[in-house]
Amino acid sequence: MTSRRLEGRIAVITGAASGIGEACARLFASEGAVVIAVDKTKETGEVVARSIRETGGIASFVHADLGRESDCKRVIEDTLAEHGKIDVLLNNAGMFLGKSVPEATSEEFDSVFQVNVKAPFWLCKYVLPHMEAQGKGAICLMASKTGLVAQYDSPLYCASKGAVVLLMKALALDYAKKGIRVNAVCPGIIDTPMLDYAINLAPDPIQERRWNEAAQPIGRLGKPDECAHAALYLCSDEASFITGVAVPVDGGFTAM
Ligand SMILES: NC(=O)c1ccc[n+]([C@@H]2O[C@H](COP(=O)([O-])OP(=O)(O)OC[C@H]3O[C@@H](n4cnc5c(N)ncnc54)[C@H](O)[C@@H]3O)[C@@H](O)[C@H]2O)c1
C-alpha cells in the first residue's frame, strides 16, 4: 500500500527502459503518476510500460532519440496534446564515456554533451513555458556524484554532469517564483547496465567491481530503487520548499 504521492500527475521520464529510469517509472506509476516512459531502446521500453500496466499502473512508451532536438520537442508536444499537461519532468537518460581527453574525439565529446546536457536543455526549453502557464511543475535531472566531485578516466562524462548540476541550479533560481521546482539526484555507483558497461572497460572487471564495492563508505553498490526514491521525494509535494539542490545518493562517497 503506497501513499500515492503522484496521483494523477503526468510524468515524463526519460531513459525509462533500463536501470535507474526503469526503477523511477515503476515507482512513480505505483505512486499514481501517469508515466510517459521515453527511451531510444524500443523493445525494452515497451516491455517496461506494458509490465507497469499489467501491475495496475498507467504508462505508455514513447520512442525517441533525445540526442536530437526534434525528438525532445516531439516528446513534450505529443504528451501535451494527449494529456493536456505535464506535471513532472524527470530527465534521466544519459551516456557514459570512459576515455581520457587525448583518447576522446570531438565527435564523442559532442555525443556525450548532446545526450547528457543538451537533451535536458531541450526538454526544459519546451516544457517550461507550459509549466509556467500552469503555474506549477517539478523537474528532476539525474546528474551524478561526478557532477560534484571528479572521478578517474572519464573527464568528459564528469564535465557533462557538472554542467547538469549548474543547469539545474540556474533553472531553479529562474523559476523559483513561478511555482516550478528544479532539483537533481546525484547517483554514486549504482548497479545498472551502465555500470556493467563502465566496469567492463577495466582490464579485470571482476576486480574492478570488488574495488567499487569496497570504495563506498556503505560498503556496497547502490540500487536503482534507492535513486528512484530520492527522485520521487524531490518531485512530490513533500519537497515543496526544496529547489536547486543536488542530492547525492552515493552511500556516503561525497562525504569523504
Ligand atoms: N549507474 C550509475 O552508477 C550511475 C551513476 C551516476 C549517474 N548515473 C546516471 O543515471 C542515469 C541513468 O543511468 P543508468 O545507470 O540507469 O543507465 P542505463 O544504461 O541502465 O539506462 C540509461 C537509459 O537511457 C537510455 N538512453 C541513452 N541515451 C539515450 C538517448 N539518446 N535517447 C533516449 N534514451 C537514451 C538508454 O537506452 C537506457 O535505457 C544516467 O543519466 C547516468 O549518467 C548513473
Side-chain angles (χ1 to χ4, degrees):
M1 186 72 181
T2 67
S3 50
R4 309 282 287 182
R5 278 171 280 186
L6 299 178
E7 189 70 50
R9 312 265 167 101
I10 307 298
V12 173
I13 302 179
T14 72
S18 169
I20 297 168
E22 176 182 350
C24 290
R26 291 184 188 282
L27 181 64
F28 281 35
S30 78
E31 292 282 343
V34 175
V35 169
I36 317 303
V38 185
D39 208 287
K40 67 172 183 187
T41 311
K42 197 163 188 268
E43 298 70 27
T44 39
E46 277 171 347
V47 168
V48 169
R50 192 179 320 123
S51 95
I52 289 173
R53 292 195 297 274
E54 283 167 1
T55 51
I58 306 175
S60 56
F61 174 70
V62 175
H63 186 223
D65 178 355
L66 301 165
R68 295 189 199 142
E69 181 171 7
S70 55
D71 279 25
C72 293
K73 188 167 185 266
R74 171 173 57 83
V75 165
I76 299 301
E77 286 178 353
D78 287 2
T79 304
L80 288 173
E82 189 172 346
H83 299 278
K85 62 171 186 164
I86 294 175
D87 301 295
V88 172
L89 168 64
L90 172 51
N91 185 95
N92 161 82
M95 66 172 283
F96 179 75
L97 183 70
K99 288 192 175 179
S100 69
V101 164
E103 286 168 343
T105 64
S106 294
E107 290 72 27
E108 286 170 327
F109 180 103
D110 289 343
S111 302
V112 171
F113 273 71
Q114 202 88 353
V115 177
N116 292 0
V117 187
K118 274 194 168 177
F121 157 64
W122 286 324
L123 290 165
C124 288
K125 174 181 167 65
Y126 293 110
V127 85
L128 278 166
H130 158 73
M131 285 183 171
E132 197 175 344
Q134 77 187 6
K136 59 182 178 176
I139 295 176
C140 181
L141 307 183
M142 199 59 68
S144 169
K145 76 170 171 58
T146 65
L148 305 172
V149 294
Q151 72 181 13
Y152 293 103
D153 301 327
S154 49
L156 300 183
Y157 180 73
C158 293
S160 72
K161 292 300 185 177
V164 170
V165 170
L166 261 293
L167 175 66
M168 173 278 291
K169 291 190 184 200
L171 285 172
L173 292 183
D174 286 351
Y175 287 87
K177 289 201 170 58
K178 296 173 179 168
I180 301 164
R181 296 182 301 102
V182 189
N183 293 294
V185 171
C186 294
I189 310 286
I190 312 297
D191 203 356
T192 70
M194 181 183 282
L195 181 70
D196 291 339
Y197 168 77
I199 279 179
N200 283 326
L201 297 174
D204 183 347
I206 293 173
Q207 194 54 34
E208 181 73 9
R209 176 173 274 268
R210 285 204 195 107
W211 181 87
N212 271 296
E213 286 165 357
Q216 312 311 311
I218 280 187
R220 63 167 174 83
L221 303 179
K223 300 170 194 160
D225 260 351
E226 293 172 318
C227 296
H229 278 282
L232 169 65
Y233 171 66
L234 292 172
C235 292
S236 75
D237 293 344
E238 289 170 350
S240 52
F241 200 54
I242 298 178
T243 194
V245 304
V247 178
V249 181
D250 66 354
F253 195 91
T254 51
M256 290 191 283

